[in-house]
Amino acid sequence: MDHTHHICKSEEDTKKVAELVAPQLKAGMVIFLKGELGAGKTTLVRYLLKSLGYRDKVKSPTYNLVETHQLKNLTVHHFDLYRFGCPEEWFSGGFDDYLITENTISIIEWPEKIKGVNIKPDIEINISTEQLDFRIMDICFKEEAGNAVI
């Protein structure tokens, strides 16, 4: 398991982290993205998508729960589960089906909202905002994700 620690003092730093992570992403991966409201989760996703070649606008899926972004040979599903009341909403919303489609990457914000649902992340990213003037991004690549080193 590889673990990296990044200090982001600006949006440009967040972009650089995304540019380091994006080349490691492969179809079939699930990414858990954790952090408080306003931590920069969607900003990180925006830069990940841009690093993968996506050129359209990237908005937060807070109200739609999932936004799907089509790239040339890859589909990225970006989930925001903040408004979930219980893990069963994952199944009743049919979101499990998104994970089994071909050539997809699924990025799940607020994965703690589906605790107990059997989803294993390949990458976990935790954004800490304890310091007011910068963010800390801890990135953990699981062994199953390959031996990626950032």
Side-chain angles (χ1 to χ4, degrees):
M1 179 181 337
D2 292 315
H3 181 264
T4 61
H5 181 82
H6 304 271
I7 295 175
C8 297
K9 295 182 179 182
S10 66
E11 193 168 319
E12 183 63 28
D13 290 343
T14 299
K15 179 182 176 191
K16 289 176 184 176
V17 170
E19 290 169 346
L20 291 171
V21 173
Q24 308 299 325
L25 302 181
K26 299 179 255 184
M29 285 186 152
V30 174
I31 301 164
F32 279 4
L33 190 51
K34 300 176 180 180
E36 296 298 320
L37 281 172
K41 297 180 295 295
T42 297
T43 300
L44 178 61
V45 173
R46 182 178 302 116
Y47 285 120
L48 281 171
L49 285 164
K50 286 183 184 222
S51 296
L52 292 170
Y54 189 73
R55 297 294 168 236
D56 290 334
K57 185 177 180 180
V58 177
K59 61 182 182 172
S60 174
T62 300
Y63 297 104
N64 295 336
L65 301 178
V66 63
E67 291 287 336
T68 298
H69 307 281
Q70 188 62 52
L71 287 84
K72 185 176 179 182
N73 296 316
L74 185 67
T75 302
V76 177
H77 300 297
H78 177 201
F79 298 90
D80 185 329
L81 308 181
Y82 178 73
R83 296 186 314 128
F84 267 32
C86 64
E88 290 75 26
E89 290 182 61
W90 177 261
F91 298 109
S92 64
F95 298 120
D96 228 29
D97 293 341
Y98 286 82
L99 301 183
I100 59 172
T101 55
E102 290 188 33
N103 297 319
T104 63
I105 293 173
S106 295
I107 303 172
I108 303 174
E109 291 187 35
W110 301 96
E112 58 273 18
K113 297 282 189 162
I114 55 171
K115 187 175 181 169
V117 174
N118 191 22
I119 300 173
K120 304 269 190 265
D122 298 290
I123 303 169
E124 286 189 35
I125 301 173
N126 187 45
I127 304 173
S128 171
T129 57
E130 291 178 18
Q131 302 297 323
L132 296 177
D133 53 344
F134 63 88
R135 286 156 171 54
I136 299 171
M137 291 191 191
D138 286 306
I139 304 171
C140 182
F141 278 84
K142 305 297 181 172
E143 290 181 26
E144 303 83 47
N147 294 315
V149 176
I150 297 178

